Amino acid sequence: MSRKKPTTDQWADMGGYMNAKIAKLEEQYDDNAMNCFKKSNLFAGISIFVNGLTDPSSDDLKRIMLAHSGVYHTYQRHNTTFVVASNLPDVKIRQISSKSNSKIISPQWIVDCLKEERILDYSNYLLYTNCTSNQRKMTDFQSEEDADKLDDNEDSVDVKLDDDQTVPVDISKELDFLNKRVQDLDYEEFDDNHEKGESKHFARSAVDSNFLSEFYNNSRLHHISTLGAKFKEYITELRENHDGDFPGRHALIAAKSTETSNCEGTASIMHIDMDCFFVSVGLRSRPQLRGLPVAVTHSKGGSKSSANTDKSLSEIASCSYEARKMGLKNGMFVGKALQLCPDLKTIPYDFDQYKEVATTLYDTIAKYTLDIEAVSCDEMYVDLKDVLQATGLNVMEFVSFVRDEIKTKTGCPCSAGVGANRLQARMATKKAKPDGQYELKSCDVSEYFLDIDISDLPGVGYHITKKLNQLGWKKCADLHPISLEHIQREVGTKLGSTLFQYCRGIDTKPLTYGHVRKSVSTEVNYGIRFTKQSELETFLKQLCTEVHSRLTEIKRRGKSITLKYMVRADDAPVETAKFMGHGLCNHVTKTTTLNDFTDNFDVILRTVLSIQSQLNVPPVDLRGIGIQISKLDTQNETVKDKNSIKSLFEKVAEQQLQKKEEEGEADLVATERKSPDPEVTSNTRVLRPSNNNSKKHVENIPKTRGRGRGRGRGRGRKSTSRVGRPRNSNGNTKTEECSVESDFESPYEELDMNVLAELPGFLQEEILREHGGKMKKTKKTEKKKKVEHEIDSEFLAALPPDIRKEVLQQQRANSKALEQYSKTVPVPDKKPLPSEIKPIVQPPEVTQPKSLSESNILGKPTWRATIRSWLDSTTEPINEDVETFSNYACELIDLNMLNELYLVLRYLFR
DNA sequence: ATCCTCCCCTAC
DNA sequence: TAAGGTAGGGGAGGAT
């Protein structure tokens, strides 16, 4: 291959620059790590993307967002709230604003918001105000009239397009011209801003600072994946907020022509799917290409200069039916495709348009019913039973009605299949395509399936197909004489029984409407070329930023962090055949399970860096990197019951009861036993003492940074490492046991940890906080503290008298303990807390227990934060009256727990 | 037995 | 040049 590599000099230059940059980043990172407290919720719900150079720098802006609950996007997304920029040329602005909902504002807005500690009206900070100015700009190189046409076209989702005449024939030329112009200007701008030559026009590999964002902007798979997820969420949302009215149905009833009624209501599952989606969307503005073999790909040039494109290894994302007839397939390389079909026309991607069309598709269906299971951006299952019943239409009437509507609105054809279950509907769609519909009647099912290729069944991909074909099984009919056990033996229990049923048209899986994420990940297996460890670390950090922002976006936290590598296989050439591809690789993954759920950037980054050093793969050999966060905490809605405050108490009580029973005191308490909601208990896991052995809970943050001398060879298939990180970085932490004592660094070693350990959790917390921050202040604060710990009279009043007495007693004892303690402990200088303590004070990564127990709540420095965090995720109104709580408490909780629980309540009601 | 981790496979 | 992502189901085999 005469592929051009950057010369060694170029690499070296880049390395030098990158090193300097990294050093700076590191420095900032450390700052960042020390100040990882959330400072406020100022920017909650707001996300920014920084475009170009800004003041403050994008890094600073990121830190601000991190600290104030905002989200920092490493690349612009449709839902980015603000694009932050200082100086953008009009063209760029137009590009941004026409393609998204984001407003472009000056970074000053963020600075000023911070200053005033409130969200200011951004309109004064808009970099540009709508439309007018930039349209004028366009006239610089377009006639006014053309520009108008163009605009019309861009907004034309709702315009009828089935008639090709509607669109001017030369529109695509204009588009091309415009795009080129925009691109040219982009480069010019880029040069202006980057005169130092720190980066080329393109981000070539992952060492370029803007590689990640460019990659994500251009990756079809990324778009397919994220769009799909988005629409699943979209449907879930629509269902949640639905008021019971389906506006489309009225029109349907009115438009109903015949008096047909839907008597045979069995086959009412519809599977609907856009026909070669990307191509169809692209053809809307290129009517002259209709009827020709067309493919969507990054590769430019189409069929005109075969010299260059013959060998193109660019992949085809989607190709028209005309192209498929020539043997083209999605995913095929352009080079090969051109051999099969020299007349192939290639068109570029337009991700924003895909999204628009998909939205129209979903909105159209949603007018009639929300019994929708989203499969991807262009495909869904719909249960029509309800609509048909409500409107009296028969199935195919309805199907053709919506298909027409979709085609009219989007200018793109779709196909639909109808059957008694999802499998039948889906197989019916196959017959319907292209641009058609087909109902698979129950009497036809068995015959219809006989001739279906096994490889067409869902769940049967490349490998399974191969395996089955080798056994001589190709058609569904071939499977009929085979016993269930036999099939299972070949392909596994689960898939075996699925296939056994599928080949007969049986599918018992109902449509699923709720959609709960189980993991979040980000992965790049393209353009990964590192020469140095530092480049790898910088990139890992970017990936962490990315997962972190995705995690925060879905408002979840995770416990398990996986680093995934693709490593060049020993015998694979260093230069891949495909430009910047990954070539033949081994996969290496390693997972760390934290003790606590986290959504904290620092925790994620440290964990990842730590795994990185354990895997110890030479950066040069890396070809792909991914980070996955799994074991997400439970989602609010789905576990409302389990998360109720009542069940918290019940579980605590249950736990105590068990303990007492074990101690043989069952009869004493048996009468007190309340049988909790069976659903709750059935989901309660039996608690085991945390195997994290130490008496004190310590945050589970790996501290090792940089290249450790981890030696985990190759496959990384060791069991997952618990990264119970010793902090004392000078290495001599022999004990895996990590107790608070051994982990303190110098000034804090003076703290008498034994005394501290004696105190109730909440006091430890207060004291440690004082210690780290304000202990310098005099008695005054202490008095204030005391007052704060005084018992809420409202709460007291709600208690039965004898209990009230005990509570008061206990409270006095606590105060004394605190007072005494503060005398015995020397007051250190004001110093930032060591990182072990941080989470105790304001922990994003506190335990969010699946099960709650005494030991989870009490006896741990984090109990309070634990409960707090747990309650943060509950949708139960925590403003239930104090009385209710005290009643729970009195009924369920041991007396000596009451005081602590009281403090929980105070905390909640503060 | 049951759970957990590390895979592999599939789908869009 | 090219932009080979992302989430979920499930099985093998070790740990508990």
Tab-separated table of all heavy atoms in Angstrom, chain A residues 565-587:
chain	number	residue	atom	x	y	z
A	565	TYR	N	-10.600	-2.488	24.907
A	565	TYR	CA	-9.593	-2.184	23.901
A	565	TYR	C	-9.742	-3.097	22.693
A	565	TYR	O	-10.111	-4.261	22.827
A	565	TYR	CB	-8.186	-2.459	24.447
A	565	TYR	CG	-7.602	-1.417	25.354
A	565	TYR	CD1	-6.529	-1.758	26.180
A	565	TYR	CD2	-8.074	-0.111	25.385
A	565	TYR	CE1	-5.953	-0.831	27.031
A	565	TYR	CE2	-7.499	0.819	26.228
A	565	TYR	CZ	-6.440	0.458	27.049
A	565	TYR	OH	-5.867	1.378	27.873
A	566	MET	N	-9.414	-2.560	21.544
A	566	MET	CA	-9.109	-3.422	20.409
A	566	MET	C	-7.607	-3.284	20.194
A	566	MET	O	-7.096	-2.168	20.041
A	566	MET	CB	-9.871	-2.997	19.163
A	566	MET	CG	-11.349	-3.344	19.238
A	566	MET	SD	-12.252	-2.862	17.761
A	566	MET	CE	-11.849	-4.242	16.687
A	567	VAL	N	-6.928	-4.405	20.201
A	567	VAL	CA	-5.475	-4.387	20.097
A	567	VAL	C	-5.045	-5.102	18.824
A	567	VAL	O	-5.517	-6.210	18.545
A	567	VAL	CB	-4.839	-5.095	21.307
A	567	VAL	CG1	-3.333	-4.994	21.242
A	567	VAL	CG2	-5.365	-4.521	22.602
A	568	ARG	N	-4.203	-4.453	18.088
A	568	ARG	CA	-3.713	-5.048	16.846
A	568	ARG	C	-3.234	-6.475	17.079
A	568	ARG	O	-2.455	-6.744	17.999
A	568	ARG	CB	-2.553	-4.209	16.305
A	568	ARG	CG	-1.995	-4.689	14.985
A	568	ARG	CD	-0.870	-3.779	14.537
A	568	ARG	NE	0.276	-3.838	15.431
A	568	ARG	CZ	1.227	-4.764	15.369
A	568	ARG	NH1	1.166	-5.703	14.445
A	568	ARG	NH2	2.227	-4.747	16.221
A	569	ALA	N	-3.730	-7.376	16.280
A	569	ALA	CA	-3.318	-8.770	16.412
A	569	ALA	C	-1.841	-8.895	16.047
A	569	ALA	O	-1.336	-8.121	15.239
A	569	ALA	CB	-4.162	-9.663	15.506
A	570	ASP	N	-1.180	-9.848	16.646
A	570	ASP	CA	0.267	-9.989	16.453
A	570	ASP	C	0.648	-10.030	14.982
A	570	ASP	O	1.627	-9.424	14.563
A	570	ASP	CB	0.758	-11.274	17.135
A	570	ASP	CG	0.864	-11.077	18.637
A	570	ASP	OD1	0.880	-9.894	19.057
A	570	ASP	OD2	0.909	-12.070	19.368
A	571	ASP	N	-0.156	-10.775	14.228
A	571	ASP	CA	0.225	-10.960	12.830
A	571	ASP	C	-0.389	-9.915	11.906
A	571	ASP	O	-0.170	-9.942	10.709
A	571	ASP	CB	-0.192	-12.366	12.368
A	571	ASP	CG	-1.593	-12.711	12.827
A	571	ASP	OD1	-2.120	-11.995	13.704
A	571	ASP	OD2	-2.173	-13.674	12.311
A	572	ALA	N	-1.147	-8.999	12.467
A	572	ALA	CA	-1.770	-7.985	11.615
A	572	ALA	C	-0.764	-6.897	11.283
A	572	ALA	O	0.080	-6.556	12.099
A	572	ALA	CB	-2.973	-7.386	12.320
A	573	PRO	N	-0.852	-6.369	10.067
A	573	PRO	CA	0.072	-5.300	9.692
A	573	PRO	C	-0.193	-4.048	10.522
A	573	PRO	O	-1.322	-3.811	10.955
A	573	PRO	CB	-0.256	-5.047	8.218
A	573	PRO	CG	-1.638	-5.574	8.032
A	573	PRO	CD	-1.780	-6.703	9.003
A	574	VAL	N	0.862	-3.288	10.727
A	574	VAL	CA	0.715	-2.066	11.521
A	574	VAL	C	-0.216	-1.076	10.809
A	574	VAL	O	-1.035	-0.420	11.419
A	574	VAL	CB	2.092	-1.417	11.770
A	574	VAL	CG1	1.944	-0.095	12.498
A	574	VAL	CG2	2.963	-2.378	12.579
A	575	GLU	N	-0.068	-1.023	9.479
A	575	GLU	CA	-0.964	-0.174	8.708
A	575	GLU	C	-2.156	-0.988	8.241
A	575	GLU	O	-1.996	-1.986	7.545
A	575	GLU	CB	-0.227	0.397	7.492
A	575	GLU	CG	0.601	1.604	7.815
A	575	GLU	CD	-0.202	2.655	8.566
A	575	GLU	OE1	-1.295	3.005	8.092
A	575	GLU	OE2	0.274	3.106	9.628
A	576	THR	N	-3.308	-0.567	8.617
A	576	THR	CA	-4.490	-1.307	8.191
A	576	THR	C	-4.786	-1.014	6.727
A	576	THR	O	-4.411	0.023	6.198
A	576	THR	CB	-5.708	-0.894	9.020
A	576	THR	OG1	-5.861	0.529	8.923
A	576	THR	CG2	-5.530	-1.278	10.460
A	577	ALA	N	-5.461	-1.958	6.097
A	577	ALA	CA	-5.849	-1.757	4.700
A	577	ALA	C	-6.764	-0.545	4.600
A	577	ALA	O	-6.604	0.321	3.753
A	577	ALA	CB	-6.561	-2.997	4.183
A	578	LYS	N	-7.704	-0.494	5.466
A	578	LYS	CA	-8.640	0.617	5.456
A	578	LYS	C	-8.015	1.796	6.186
A	578	LYS	O	-7.446	1.641	7.267
A	578	LYS	CB	-9.920	0.176	6.165
A	578	LYS	CG	-11.033	1.180	6.126
A	578	LYS	CD	-12.178	0.645	6.984
A	578	LYS	CE	-13.264	1.661	7.091
A	578	LYS	NZ	-14.432	1.274	6.294
A	579	PHE	N	-8.151	2.928	5.608
A	579	PHE	CA	-7.567	4.122	6.190
A	579	PHE	C	-8.063	4.330	7.620
A	579	PHE	O	-9.262	4.443	7.860
A	579	PHE	CB	-7.931	5.331	5.330
A	579	PHE	CG	-7.431	6.620	5.894
A	579	PHE	CD1	-6.079	6.894	5.927
A	579	PHE	CD2	-8.321	7.546	6.384
A	579	PHE	CE1	-5.620	8.090	6.451
A	579	PHE	CE2	-7.866	8.742	6.900
A	579	PHE	CZ	-6.515	9.010	6.936
A	580	MET	N	-7.139	4.362	8.536
A	580	MET	CA	-7.458	4.605	9.934
A	580	MET	C	-8.387	3.546	10.543
A	580	MET	O	-9.023	3.775	11.547
A	580	MET	CB	-8.092	5.984	10.114
A	580	MET	CG	-7.077	7.111	10.036
A	580	MET	SD	-5.919	7.033	11.402
A	580	MET	CE	-4.489	7.782	10.658
A	581	GLY	N	-8.479	2.432	9.868
A	581	GLY	CA	-9.342	1.371	10.389
A	581	GLY	C	-8.674	0.631	11.545
A	581	GLY	O	-7.581	0.987	11.962
A	582	HIS	N	-9.339	-0.421	12.027
A	582	HIS	CA	-8.729	-1.127	13.159
A	582	HIS	C	-8.057	-2.425	12.730
A	582	HIS	O	-7.280	-2.989	13.483
A	582	HIS	CB	-9.748	-1.384	14.269
A	582	HIS	CG	-10.969	-2.110	13.834
A	582	HIS	ND1	-10.928	-3.330	13.237
A	582	HIS	CD2	-12.283	-1.766	13.904
A	582	HIS	CE1	-12.161	-3.737	12.988
A	582	HIS	NE2	-13.002	-2.792	13.355
A	583	GLY	N	-8.383	-2.882	11.534
A	583	GLY	CA	-7.748	-4.107	11.086
A	583	GLY	C	-8.083	-5.301	11.963
A	583	GLY	O	-9.063	-5.276	12.704
A	584	LEU	N	-7.263	-6.317	11.873
A	584	LEU	CA	-7.492	-7.524	12.662
A	584	LEU	C	-7.044	-7.299	14.103
A	584	LEU	O	-5.906	-6.937	14.349
A	584	LEU	CB	-6.699	-8.684	12.030
A	584	LEU	CG	-6.939	-10.059	12.637
A	584	LEU	CD1	-8.405	-10.432	12.530
A	584	LEU	CD2	-6.053	-11.090	11.973
A	585	CYS	N	-7.937	-7.536	15.005
A	585	CYS	CA	-7.654	-7.168	16.400
A	585	CYS	C	-8.033	-8.245	17.402
A	585	CYS	O	-8.902	-9.067	17.144
A	585	CYS	CB	-8.442	-5.913	16.769
A	585	CYS	SG	-7.727	-4.413	16.134
A	586	ASN	N	-7.387	-8.187	18.526
A	586	ASN	CA	-7.857	-8.910	19.703
A	586	ASN	C	-8.639	-7.952	20.583
A	586	ASN	O	-8.339	-6.769	20.631
A	586	ASN	CB	-6.679	-9.463	20.503
A	586	ASN	CG	-5.953	-10.546	19.747
A	586	ASN	OD1	-6.571	-11.372	19.079
A	586	ASN	ND2	-4.624	-10.521	19.828
A	587	HIS	N	-9.609	-8.521	21.254
A	587	HIS	CA	-10.382	-7.679	22.153
A	587	HIS	C	-9.918	-7.892	23.580
A	587	HIS	O	-9.722	-9.018	24.004
A	587	HIS	CB	-11.868	-8.009	22.044
A	587	HIS	CG	-12.431	-7.678	20.715
A	587	HIS	ND1	-13.409	-6.725	20.532
A	587	HIS	CD2	-12.133	-8.159	19.475
A	587	HIS	CE1	-13.691	-6.641	19.238
A	587	HIS	NE2	-12.941	-7.500	18.577
